[in-house]
């Protein structure tokens, strides 16, 4: 494969050739360690060898099709097109293509479902380290696999999906990459445009700052999103053009954190398709979070074949922002976006010599009603300013879209703008009728403003709605209410508002106990079989799934006090022996058959962790850390929450008999949970939050949970033991039985 690939643009090939030594070093490190190196680690290694090379600077403009440097750890990840340009990577490329062929073979076969496993990697390439490297590449980049378990370090399994048929005739690595490149050829974010101002803009995407992020639904790409991107690029602006449905080694973290966070402005193309999809709304929520931080002119809405009333039906705050309209034409919109960018630049470098621009007068032939009151969210400050904040001067600030393309927002005493303006909103203005994303932002503003009365009113509103839904057995309404409460708790969790998380969990506990009427505790407690149509166990099961998703988020954010709060609520009205609601919900759900399903005319047990994973995939608010809905780390964090909750339950009740806990994680391999349990042994703050009893008690708890998990693990070929470090702790601290006295 020495010939240059004709399917990669010349500027991408040239970039790689100019940095060939650095790329060779990265690949050789991968082959030696099985892991992608970090910029910091590899730079220090080179320095020790007397070769000071500033890798971070060399790689800062890496074209997106070739790779990227991960946020946080700074891992250097090279994608398949880049490996094609590195001579030392032939074995990895050949191994990947062999797996593609194997996937085709399995797809044509009789196995159901067709799968590729970690063992297949061992059959493809020699050496454990090289196998780990190929696993990393395959699991990141293969577009034809679906659900499965395990990561690069595990005995993973992945289902082969229908997408494999795209690669039916693949024989060589070039065959595969030519097809994959064609799939991505229309994606500016991957830099395949070869010439013109658009190509220059795309090549600059790896820099530190972008001008504009285009948030849109794929249905609006041809009509408005792509033309607007090209018009902005032609004016010299850098544009992040998000084609989320075609992914090459990317993730939600990359697109949201690296795209939105590094863009000065978010242009949001609002249409019926936009509001019908989850991904664009996630992008919008990320922009809202910047509004909470006090940034101005962050969101620029463009209405595409929608009226203000239609927008307001979905999002009252968006409807209240100054907006462009696609009817004005792409060139006009691009000009106005440019003017908004200039306003942001002026705001970032204030000068007393630069006067505030007045609001332009509307043209006579197209009058536009100027707002009678500034819409603070439209200016980028989402709701009430803190009491100490400096107030804007009298008069109207400049519109971010000073032209006839503007649609003026509604204002007045009852408008969304006035409810969320600089004065404190009236009691009840923030309620559960709001869209979930807007509700979260508004609740955060109540916290920031210290309005505890309005917060309590909001929580009371949730309790009242829960009671009404329980009284009429409306499970759909209860599910929607639980979704909103879960997302509200998740939002508070990510912003270190632990007290508010506890408040929301307390509300969920109140709703949880509502179906229990006098005598129900005994009726349910003594029944070995519960009618699956009964509302109570179905509500408890819905709550259980969401709490696990919230607990997994607490694990990933290391919010140990929150984890304990999630695990130890006492179900109101339940029997005295029920110590926590997670165990209660599990027992009642099992008795109602809610953890079973019929497959091939037989009833099988379903893992709670898998069901909870589905909830996390459905609710984007449970993935604020940027994990894609299919990311395997979701299942790992669910298993880790489960393991820690088992220990917390024992710490709370003092009973290690198994009455108060159950190890769902036992169906998985031990390496899912051992890292977090090992952390518990050494992390003082974590230990204080989760297990406050003695080392001897912790050893007993670990021994009991491990023994039960081992028995369950045998049934599912899962958990076997805790591993050496935890076992050593147990052996060293388990109380020794006193020998019986003779005679």
């Amino acid at each position: 494969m020495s010939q240059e690939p004709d399917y990669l643009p010349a500027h991408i090939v040239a970039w790689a050739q100019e940095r060939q030594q650095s790329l060779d070093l990265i690949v050789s490190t991968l082959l030696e360690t099985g892991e992608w190196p970090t910029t910091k680690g590899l730079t220090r290694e080179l320095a020790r060898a007397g070769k000071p090379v500033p890798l971070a600077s060399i790689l800062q403009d890496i074209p997106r099709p070739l790779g990227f440097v991960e946020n946080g750890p700074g891992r250097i990840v090279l994608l398949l097109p880049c490996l094609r340009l590195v001579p030392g990577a032939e074995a990895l490329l050949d191994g990947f293509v062999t797996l593609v062929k194997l996937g085709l073979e399995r797809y044509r076969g009789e196995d159901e479902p067709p799968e590729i496993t970690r063992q297949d990697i061992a059959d493809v390439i020699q050496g454990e380290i090289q196998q780990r490297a190929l696993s990393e590449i395959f699991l990141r980049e293969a577009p034809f696999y679906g659900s499965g378990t395990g990561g690069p370090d595990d005995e993973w399994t992945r289902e082969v999906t229908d997408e494999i048929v795209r690669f039916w005739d693949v024989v060589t690595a070039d065959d595969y990459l030519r097809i994959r490149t064609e799939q991505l050829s229309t994606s500016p974010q991957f830099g395949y445009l070869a010439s013109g101002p658009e190509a220059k803009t795309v090549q600059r995407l790896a820099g530190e700052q972008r001008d504009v992020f285009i948030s849109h639904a794929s249905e609006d790409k041809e009509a408005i999103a792509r033309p607007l991107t090209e018009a902005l690029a032609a004016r010299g602006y850098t544009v992040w053009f998000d084609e989320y449905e075609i992914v090459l080694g990317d993730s939600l973290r990359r697109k949201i954190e690296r795209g939105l966070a590094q863009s000065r402005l978010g242009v949001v193309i609002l249409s019926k398709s936009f509001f019908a999809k989850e991904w664009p709304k996630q992008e919008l929520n990320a922009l809202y979070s910047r509004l909470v931080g006090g940034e101005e002119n962050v969101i620029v809405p463009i209405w595409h074949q929608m009226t203000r009333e239609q927008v307001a039906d979905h999002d009252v705050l968006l409807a209240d922002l100054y907006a462009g309209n696609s009817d004005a034409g792409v060139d006009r919109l691009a000009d106005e976006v440019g003017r908004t960018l200039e306003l942001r630049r002026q705001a970032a470098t204030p000068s007393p010599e630069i006067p505030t621009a007045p609001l332009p007068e509307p043209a006579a032939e197209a009058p536009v009603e100027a707002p009678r009151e500034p819409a603070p969210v439209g200016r980028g400050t989402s709701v009430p300013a803190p009491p100490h904040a400096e107030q804007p001067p009298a008069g109207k600030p400049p519109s971010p879209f000073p032209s006839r393309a503007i649609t003026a927002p509604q204002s007045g005493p009852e408008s969304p703008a006035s409810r969320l303006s600089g004065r404190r909103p009236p009691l009840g203005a923030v309620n559960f009728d709001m869209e979930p994303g807007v509700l979260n932002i508004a609740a955060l503003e109540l916290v920031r403003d210290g309005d505890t009365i309005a917060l309590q009113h909001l929580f009371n509103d949730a309790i009242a709605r829960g009671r009404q839904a329980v009284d009429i057995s409306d499970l759909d309404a209860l599910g929607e209410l639980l979704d909103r409460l879960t997302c509200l708790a998740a939002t508070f969790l990510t912003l270190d508002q632990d007290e508010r998380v506890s408040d929301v969990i307390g509300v969920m506990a109140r709703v949880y106990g509502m179906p229990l009427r006098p005598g129900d505790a005994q009726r349910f407690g003594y029944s070995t079989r519960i009618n699956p149509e009964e509302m109570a166990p179905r509500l408890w099961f819905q709550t259980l799934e969401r709490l696990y998703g919230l607990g997994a988020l607490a694990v990933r954010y290391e919010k140990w006090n929150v984890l304990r709060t999630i695990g130890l609520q006492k179900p109101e009205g339940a029997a005295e022996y029920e110590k926590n609601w997670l165990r209660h919900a599990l027992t009642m759900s099992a008795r109602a058959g809610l953890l079973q399903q019929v497959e091939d005319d037989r009833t099988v047990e379903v893992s709670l962790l898998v069901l909870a994973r589905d909830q996390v995939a459905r609710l984007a608010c449970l993935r604020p850390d940027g994990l894609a809905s299919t990311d395997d780390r979701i299942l790992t964090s669910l298993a880790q929450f489960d393991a820690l909750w088992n220990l917390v339950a024992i710490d709370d009740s003092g009973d290690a008999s198994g009455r108060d806990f159950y190890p769902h994680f036992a169906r998985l391999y031990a390496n899912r949970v051992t890292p977090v349990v090992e952390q518990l042994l050494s992390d003082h703050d974590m230990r204080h939050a989760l297990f406050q009893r003695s080392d001897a008690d912790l050893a007993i708890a670990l021994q009991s949970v491990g023994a039960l998990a081992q028995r369950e693990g045998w049934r599912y070929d899962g958990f076997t033991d805790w591993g050496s470090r935890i076992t050593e702790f147990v052996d060293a601290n388990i109380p020794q039985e006193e020998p019986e006295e003779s005679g």
Side-chain angles (χ1 to χ4, degrees), residues 380-396:
T381 51
S382 56
V383 271
H388 59 274
E390 182 178 349
Q391 298 301 313
K396 295 180 176 66

Side-chain angles (χ1 to χ4, degrees), residues 512 520-521 523-527 530 536-538 540-541 577-578 583-594:
Y512 183 98
D520 278 354
R523 180 168 68 90
F524 288 128
Y526 295 133
S527 298
I530 300 175
R538 294 166 70 187
W540 297 334
F541 181 62
Y577 57 79
E578 300 286 1
R583 188 65 171 95
H584 175 264
L586 173 63
T587 301
M588 299 305 158
S589 299
R591 291 177 181 178
L594 300 177

Side-chain angles (χ1 to χ4, degrees), residues 335-349:
D335 289 340
E336 304 308 341
V337 170
R339 288 192 179 97
T340 305
L341 282 166
E342 292 307 315
L343 284 175
R344 281 185 59 82
R345 289 192 177 105
Q346 292 176 15
T349 56

Side-chain angles (χ1 to χ4, degrees), residues 512 524-525 527 530 537 540-541 543-545 547-548 564-571 574-592 595 608 641-642 645-650 652-653 655-664 705 708 711-712 715:
Y512 183 98
F524 288 128
S527 298
I530 300 175
W540 297 334
F541 181 62
T543 306
L544 180 66
E545 292 178 299
L547 288 173
Y548 260 72
R564 188 178 182 92
T565 300
I566 293 170
L568 293 184
Q569 298 299 307
K570 167 76 174 178
E576 183 62 30
Y577 57 79
E578 300 286 1
K579 299 301 182 183
N580 66 74
W581 61 346
L582 297 187
R583 188 65 171 95
H584 175 264
L586 173 63
T587 301
M588 299 305 158
S589 299
R591 291 177 181 178
L595 289 168
L608 173 61
F641 167 73
D642 183 65
W645 164 66
N646 278 240
L647 299 174
V648 166
I650 295 173
D652 179 66
S653 68
D655 184 352
S657 66
R659 184 194 305 272
D660 302 322
F661 63 91
Y662 178 81
H664 299 276
V705 173
L708 181 54
R711 289 197 296 272
E712 294 297 298
R715 295 174 57 196

